[in-house]
Amino acid sequence: MKTITSIRELQSTLQSEKLKGKTIGFVPTMGYLHEGHLSLLQKARTENDIVVLSIFVNPLQFGPNEDFDSYPRDYQHDENLAKDNSVDFIFYPTKEEMYPNELTASVVVHKRINVLCGRKREGHFDGVATVVTKLFNIVMPHRAYFGMKDAQQVAVIEGLIKDLNMPITIVPCETVRENDGLAKSSRNVYLSEKERDEAPTIYQSLQMAKSEILEGETSPLTIIHSITEHITKFTSGTIDYVEIYSYPELKLIEKLRGRIVVAVAVKFSKARLIDNITLTIPE
Ligand code: PAF
């Protein structure tokens, strides 16, 4: 495994691998790897000759009052996990390497953003789309792996790839969970002991919603109401949103049918947790 910090070096290294006919699987991350990331690396490993992991906390996708400075970072821990998971190259650029000058051009996302996490995080998905475009241009992978815990991010990136004709296959991967159902996240470390005990309620409420929908409930409002009630009753967190949309278009629907996403965000004292399920309901 080799760590590369220079864009030019990574480009020329991967270019020569491609000339040898090797396929490249790419897992972009902001580091502080957990089992969710490892499952992406493992899937990339089984489907490609070369696996590239990027670790870059992208300042462009954090708002002024968000946790860019305190976002957890631990390169040594990440490097050890990458080695254990047979990564070939870690791309670990500095901020200066990625953004040497004020940007002349960037990516603006028009759709799928004014809902869920995008609604309150103005510019967040422009920042994600810009860095992902840069990373894709640097790595030029055949396949890129993203976790469905960030279902909105996957929907935005799928739109980006399609609209800008990027020749990359996006591979959405299932959310990895703790034994009690809590979705793995770098932000779980911010939960107090009490909050950590309460946090699995979020997934329980999504599972309850799934059962209600599969038993025939067709009203998004009824499902939203029952999720809200359950989380309010069993956690000390504050609900940020409980929303249901068509997926991946992220459009409001009056009746539950087709492919949908049921998504939740809950604020605890120092952590905001998100989770979702996607379902396909026969017409
Ligand atoms: O999901 C993340 O970790 C980030 O949003 C990504 C895709 C690496 C872009 O910075």
Side-chain angles (χ1 to χ4, degrees):
M1 188 181 79
K2 187 172 181 200
T3 296
I4 295 180
T5 56
S6 140
I7 293 174
R8 197 173 279 243
E9 186 186 343
L10 185 70
Q11 279 177 322
S12 68
T13 307
L14 295 179
Q15 182 63 18
S16 48
E17 295 293 346
K18 276 188 164 182
L19 286 173
K20 290 183 221 153
K22 302 271 171 82
T23 55
I24 297 179
F26 179 40
V27 180
T29 77
M30 298 204 298
Y32 211 71
L33 303 182
H34 53 68
E35 282 167 57
H37 298 115
L38 303 186
S39 76
L40 305 182
L41 291 173
Q42 285 151 15
K43 193 154 173 53
R45 183 72 282 167
T46 63
E47 296 181 348
N48 303 276
D49 299 317
I50 303 282
V51 175
V52 180
L53 161 73
S54 69
I55 298 175
F56 179 63
V57 185
N58 172 38
L60 242 54
Q61 68 191 75
F62 289 81
N65 299 319
E66 293 183 358
D67 56 350
F68 174 73
D69 289 329
S70 62
Y71 193 85
R73 295 161 169 88
D74 186 346
Y75 180 72
Q76 202 48 56
H77 156 95
D78 291 346
E79 193 188 67
N80 293 338
L81 287 175
K83 225 177 250 168
D84 293 347
N85 284 274
S86 314
V87 166
D88 296 295
F89 298 104
I90 302 182
F91 178 47
Y92 183 50
T94 59
K95 201 166 107 191
E96 291 67 33
E97 180 71 4
M98 286 296 277
Y99 300 116
N101 313 303
E102 204 179 308
L103 289 173
T104 319
S106 62
V107 180
V108 179
V109 183
H110 303 285
K111 290 202 169 152
R112 308 182 179 182
I113 49 170
N114 292 323
V115 295
L116 305 172
C117 294
R119 180 175 302 144
K120 287 191 191 148
R121 300 186 75 186
E122 208 197 322
H124 168 71
F125 285 111
D126 292 347
V128 171
T130 299
V131 81
V132 165
T133 302
K134 281 171 73 72
L135 290 167
F136 282 176
N137 284 334
I138 293 166
V139 177
M140 296 206 197
H142 294 85
R143 299 180 191 84
Y145 296 79
F146 292 89
M148 275 301 283
K149 188 167 87 66
D150 293 313
Q152 186 173 18
Q153 174 167 276
V154 174
V156 165
I157 292 170
E158 280 180 343
L160 173 81
I161 290 295
K162 202 165 167 223
D163 291 345
L164 301 189
N165 306 98
M166 298 184 187
I168 297 167
T169 302
I170 300 300
V171 185
C173 302
E174 237 177 75
T175 302
V176 179
R177 301 181 178 280
E178 305 286 354
N179 288 338
D180 57 13
L182 175 64
K184 302 236 181 199
S185 161
S186 308
R187 291 187 169 102
N188 290 349
V189 293
Y190 298 141
L191 294 170
S192 71
E193 210 174 307
K194 178 172 176 285
E195 291 169 341
R196 174 64 189 80
D197 288 343
E198 296 170 352
T201 304
I202 298 173
Y203 186 56
Q204 282 160 18
S205 72
L206 290 170
Q207 288 304 100
M208 272 175 35
K210 182 175 173 179
S211 306
E212 281 176 53
I213 295 168
L214 296 179
E215 278 160 25
E217 180 55 64
T218 58
S219 157
L221 286 181
T222 305
I223 298 296
I224 289 170
H225 180 73
S226 65
I227 295 175
T228 306
E229 254 196 345
H230 191 75
I231 294 177
T232 310
K233 191 163 167 198
F234 294 109
T235 78
S236 54
T238 314
I239 292 183
D240 196 5
Y241 63 71
V242 178
E243 295 174 24
I244 300 181
Y245 297 105
S246 63
Y247 193 82
E249 303 80 11
L250 301 185
K251 289 202 171 135
L252 268 179
I253 41 174
E254 278 171 19
K255 203 171 164 207
L256 298 170
R257 62 174 167 222
R259 189 154 189 231
I260 61 159
V261 61
V262 183
V264 175
V266 180
K267 275 189 194 152
F268 288 94
S269 53
K270 289 198 191 115
R272 180 177 167 283
L273 303 187
I274 59 168
D275 203 351
N276 70 78
I277 50 169
T278 50
L279 293 174
T280 304
I281 308 149
E283 296 290 326

